[in-house]
Amino acid sequence: MDGVTVTGVRAHARIVARADGRGGTALPVLDGEVPLAPRRTRSSGSEAKVVLVGAMSGPLGGDRLTVDVRVEEGARLHVGSAAATIALPGQAGGEARYDVRLDVADGAELHWLPEQLISAEGSDLYVTTRVEAGAGARLVLREEQVLGRVGERPGRLTSRLTVRAAGRTVLDQELACGLGAPGGWDGPAVLAGYRAVGQLVVVRPEFGERPVEARALGECAALVPLAGPAALVSAVAPDALRLRRLLDEALTRLV
């Protein structure tokens, strides 16, 4: 329509987990704006569980989505999502942003296990995940990205993951894939023709004294210690199902 400027959605979700003093975890803050809808589900022992429910399609071009999670000392939180997130082109056009900030206090535990992020044809998404973990924090973080739906070319997907543990940066990496990304992303040094890529970051205080041993996990995954109480698993696979299997198998070796 002439004279009408289309802008993307701006949305913010916040989750705060706090020890309830009775051996469980309370959620004094649990709110979000469309399309980010956090919902509490049935807890397990001392751990609170939250599912992020997508209230509409997205992120679309021009959207700016932010998720903030804080887990306070003594609390345990598990966050998942109800379905895969699909990055799509939108009326606003341009790049979409999805920023995740995770703060895990000393003596707290967070499992951040969302479903896959799918880069659909024509989309352009920049994702950032920033983690601040205290000296005695425990973290399991999984990222899975799929380039294109079945039978289509991928959009452009750029993701940056930064993890600080016990006051030091242990991981800071960025990966750009898909149409329009710098050359080489599909070559043997990066995805090698595969269309699913993922990583698993595990932070445990004992890794500071007894780092994991670097090793290959088959032909498509590797485990490496990080410079602190943390370990990283990186994997590629032909599809989302096989990627999940690789990361699940790796997780059983670490926890």
Side-chain angles (χ1 to χ4, degrees), residues 33-48:
E33 303 164 319
V34 173
L36 301 172
R39 299 287 185 263
R40 181 163 192 166
T41 61
R42 185 181 298 275
S43 300
S44 176
S46 60
E47 181 183 67

Side-chain angles (χ1 to χ4, degrees), residues 126-167:
Y126 190 96
V127 182
T128 66
T129 303
R130 298 181 178 89
V131 180
E132 187 74 41
R138 293 177 178 271
L139 169 74
V140 175
L141 178 150
R142 182 182 69 213
E143 283 193 344
E144 298 169 309
Q145 295 156 358
V146 180
L147 301 181
R149 293 169 292 191
V150 176
E152 76 172 5
R153 299 185 301 173
R156 177 168 176 165
L157 176 62
T158 305
S159 63
R160 183 166 184 173
L161 173 60
T162 305
V163 179
R164 287 175 48 82

Side-chain angles (χ1 to χ4, degrees), residues 6-8 59-63 87-94 96 121-124:
V6 179
T7 59
L60 307 176
D63 287 356
L88 298 165
Q91 285 184 307
E121 186 172 2
S123 65
D124 185 358

Side-chain angles (χ1 to χ4, degrees), residues 49-86:
K49 293 186 176 181
V50 172
V51 172
L52 283 171
V53 178
M56 59 182 282
S57 296
L60 307 176
D63 287 356
R64 299 292 185 270
L65 309 181
T66 304
V67 177
D68 278 307
V69 178
R70 187 171 82 249
V71 188
E72 299 181 355
E73 183 176 358
R76 298 180 64 228
L77 178 65
H78 180 290
V79 181
S81 57
T85 297
I86 304 179

Side-chain angles (χ1 to χ4, degrees), residues 12-254:
H12 189 190
R14 297 177 61 237
I15 303 169
V16 176
R18 181 176 298 159
D20 64 8
R22 303 186 301 275
T25 298
L27 298 173
V29 178
L30 184 66
D31 58 41
E33 303 164 319
V34 173
L36 301 172
R39 299 287 185 263
R40 181 163 192 166
T41 61
R42 185 181 298 275
S43 300
S44 176
S46 60
E47 181 183 67
K49 293 186 176 181
V50 172
V51 172
L52 283 171
V53 178
M56 59 182 282
S57 296
L60 307 176
D63 287 356
R64 299 292 185 270
L65 309 181
T66 304
V67 177
D68 278 307
V69 178
R70 187 171 82 249
V71 188
E72 299 181 355
E73 183 176 358
R76 298 180 64 228
L77 178 65
H78 180 290
V79 181
S81 57
T85 297
I86 304 179
L88 298 165
Q91 285 184 307
E95 181 185 77
R97 290 286 304 244
Y98 195 159
D99 298 312
V100 176
R101 298 188 287 259
L102 309 175
D103 186 351
V104 190
D106 185 12
E109 182 172 348
L110 172 63
H111 286 214
W112 177 260
L113 302 171
E115 294 301 310
Q116 297 89 358
L117 171 60
I118 301 172
S119 174
E121 186 172 2
S123 65
D124 185 358
L125 176 63
Y126 190 96
V127 182
T128 66
T129 303
R130 298 181 178 89
V131 180
E132 187 74 41
R138 293 177 178 271
L139 169 74
V140 175
L141 178 150
R142 182 182 69 213
E143 283 193 344
E144 298 169 309
Q145 295 156 358
V146 180
L147 301 181
R149 293 169 292 191
V150 176
E152 76 172 5
R153 299 185 301 173
R156 177 168 176 165
L157 176 62
T158 305
S159 63
R160 183 166 184 173
L161 173 60
T162 305
V163 179
R164 287 175 48 82
R168 64 188 296 190
T169 300
V170 299
L171 180 66
D172 189 357
Q173 66 179 28
E174 182 171 288
L175 176 65
C177 301
L179 298 179
W185 66 270
D186 204 20
V190 188
L191 295 191
Y194 291 108
R195 284 297 177 265
V197 58
Q199 48 203 351
L200 188 70
V201 177
V202 178
V203 176
R204 297 171 67 89
E206 53 266 35
F207 288 170
E209 298 180 1
R210 300 185 301 278
V212 301
E213 180 182 350
R215 59 184 182 273
L217 304 176
E219 296 182 358
C220 297
L223 167 65
V224 296
L226 298 177
L232 170 69
V233 175
S234 298
V236 294
D239 55 50
L241 181 62
R242 278 176 275 191
L243 177 65
R244 175 66 59 84
R245 187 179 302 129
L246 281 171
L247 295 179
D248 283 349
E249 290 172 356
L251 184 58
T252 63
R253 298 170 181 258
L254 294 171

